[in-house]
Amino acid sequence: MDTMELASLFEATYHHDVQVRKQAEQRLGQLEGNPHLLTAIMHLLKANNVPLATQQAAAIYFKNRVRRYWDISSDRENNANIEQQISNEDQAFLKREILSLLVHAPNAIQVQLTSSLNCVLATDFPEKWPEFIHQVVQLIQSANSQAVYTGLISLLEVIKVYRFRSLKRRGPLTEIVEVVFPQLQKVAEAHLESTDPLAIPIIKTIFKSYALAIQAELPTSLQNNESLVGWGTLFIKLVERPIPLDESLDEDEQAQLSVWKSKKWAYHCINKLFSRYGNPSLLPTKQNQYQAFAKTFILHFIPQIFQAYIGQTTLYVSKQAWMSPKIRYFTAAFFSD
């Protein structure tokens, strides 16, 4: 399928003339049965000579097409409507190339592709996409920070898929935590003092992945002392990282890469560990499996955390540092518990 013809069609979908838009949409509808349509769109999204607005229109179409097909509630096996089908060739190409495409995609395109990725993972991982974690690990181990960040946001999507599933269906997430999280810890440590513009987004995404992974249970691999010391040290370092007073603007005005976003997730992880798994007095009787962890957490980790929270609160009330409303909430909740 010709990429430039597709580009012309997607450009026409936002033309000021209604008739031109309708003709383009009708033509795209006719092309839905083409077995190489998604492959051609992905080539278009990678092309350097296509305007961003046209690529955005193509990315939105791509996301909607993927959602219609990979919707986990649809009965794809018995769907005889050829316009709803996506060829095996297109499916294979998507799974092979979407992470690479994400690495180079601008933010406006990345948002649509990430949404598409989540939809595919919800249905096909791990049985029909066993290579996904290997692809992610390759990106995380890259020397290119953009590739590392792409690997992390891709991993975050699969964690989102599994975080609320029943414990019997969380096996893939447990395996991911055991295999990949030690590498995430090393990546976060390597970026703590980095001046790379992506260092803070990388750390924030890692902490967010940790927080979502412990949403419903605390995997065994995160309960041992070695893991807890490593992650706990990272969280405390971010809690104690100063935020310049000139960042004390309204949160909506903060830059995407602001330090406070990573600090917020550090507080979130600490509070979740304590309130849900690490406080013996708050543990429900049905969670006896965390009693040993809670006793260790209270004895060996709470003093350092308490000291860090007190230190940050002291700086804030003496107007030597800024704390976002969300961080003040986490601090108050911790003291309350």
Side-chain angles (χ1 to χ4, degrees):
M1 184 176 292
D2 183 63
T3 301
M4 297 318 295
E5 177 191 356
L6 267 181
S8 298
L9 285 174
F10 284 116
E11 184 176 359
T13 60
Y14 57 89
H15 196 277
H16 62 85
D17 189 320
V18 176
Q19 289 302 317
V20 174
R21 294 202 301 270
K22 285 185 176 180
Q23 290 175 5
E25 290 165 0
Q26 288 173 357
R27 177 57 181 154
L28 285 170
Q30 294 169 359
L31 291 174
E32 283 199 349
N34 190 298
H36 304 295
L37 177 60
L38 289 192
T39 297
I41 293 175
M42 292 179 72
H43 284 306
L44 184 156
L45 295 175
K46 191 180 292 187
N48 295 322
N49 58 341
V50 177
L52 179 59
T54 301
Q55 290 183 322
Q56 281 183 281
I60 293 171
Y61 175 91
F62 179 87
K63 177 191 70 176
N64 292 335
R65 183 80 174 90
V66 166
R67 281 192 172 277
R68 285 203 306 272
Y69 178 75
W70 263 284
D71 183 352
I72 59 176
S73 65
S74 65
D75 184 7
R76 300 203 311 253
E77 298 296 330
N78 299 316
N79 191 347
N81 185 353
I82 190 64
E83 292 186 355
Q84 296 298 322
Q85 300 300 316
I86 293 178
S87 68
N88 291 334
E89 293 90 341
D90 265 359
Q91 292 183 52
F93 186 84
L94 182 152
K95 293 173 183 176
R96 188 169 63 248
E97 298 295 333
I98 190 169
L99 298 191
S100 174
L101 184 56
L102 272 166
V103 173
H104 304 288
N107 289 339
I109 307 300
Q110 195 176 75
V111 170
Q112 310 300 333
L113 292 176
T114 303
S115 177
S116 304
L117 175 64
N118 181 279
C119 198
V120 177
L121 288 168
T123 301
D124 285 10
F125 180 81
E127 289 83 3
K128 297 180 181 179
W129 197 356
E131 306 88 3
F132 173 73
I133 293 301
H134 176 68
Q135 293 173 319
V136 165
V137 169
Q138 282 187 313
L139 291 174
I140 291 173
Q141 293 177 341
S142 170
N144 181 296
S145 58
Q146 184 62 51
V148 173
Y149 182 59
T150 300
L152 293 172
I153 62 174
S154 301
L155 183 70
L156 182 60
E157 291 307 311
V158 78
I159 293 174
K160 288 179 181 178
V161 167
Y162 279 92
R163 60 172 166 157
F164 289 130
R165 291 194 177 178
S166 64
L167 297 184
K168 293 181 180 179
R169 300 176 60 207
R170 286 167 57 86
L173 179 56
T174 301
E175 185 176 346
I176 287 170
V177 171
E178 185 174 348
V179 173
V180 184
F181 271 44
Q183 298 181 57
L184 298 192
Q185 182 185 320
K186 292 178 182 178
V187 171
E189 289 170 350
H191 285 82
L192 270 178
E193 306 300 330
S194 173
T195 57
D196 190 310
L198 283 175
I200 293 301
I202 283 172
I203 293 172
K204 181 198 76 173
T205 307
I206 290 174
F207 286 3
K208 187 173 183 179
S209 295
Y210 187 101
L212 298 190
I214 65 172
Q215 188 79 34
E217 66 171 343
L218 184 62
T220 305
S221 61
L222 296 181
Q223 295 184 38
N224 65 71
N225 279 354
E226 183 180 357
S227 173
L228 195 55
V229 168
W231 284 104
T233 301
L234 281 170
F235 299 149
I236 292 298
K237 285 183 177 179
L238 260 294
V239 164
E240 295 180 334
R241 174 172 286 187
I243 297 181
L245 289 176
D246 61 4
E247 289 204 32
S248 57
L249 305 171
D250 185 86
E251 288 189 10
D252 290 337
E253 300 174 4
Q254 298 298 322
Q256 180 67 25
L257 308 184
S258 183
V259 174
W260 76 264
K261 291 180 182 287
S262 61
K263 283 181 67 102
K264 177 187 73 173
W265 283 103
Y267 277 87
H268 185 100
C269 291
I270 290 172
N271 280 34
K272 179 67 70 176
L273 281 170
F274 179 49
S275 64
R276 195 173 182 89
Y277 309 107
N279 188 340
S281 64
L282 295 179
L283 278 178
T285 54
K286 63 181 180 180
Q287 290 188 327
N288 287 329
Q289 72 270 31
Y290 300 124
Q291 286 293 341
F293 173 82
K295 291 177 181 178
T296 299
F297 196 84
I298 282 285
L299 184 62
H300 297 292
F301 293 94
I302 283 299
Q304 293 93 325
I305 296 170
F306 188 78
Q307 184 177 2
Y309 277 39
I310 284 288
Q312 292 302 297
T313 304
T314 301
L315 291 174
Y316 173 71
V317 298
S318 62
K319 302 187 185 303
Q320 298 180 59
W322 180 70
M323 295 174 74
S324 73
K326 191 69 173 181
I327 290 177
R328 295 202 299 272
Y329 164 78
F330 282 132
T331 303
F334 177 84
F335 289 152
S336 177
D337 287 342

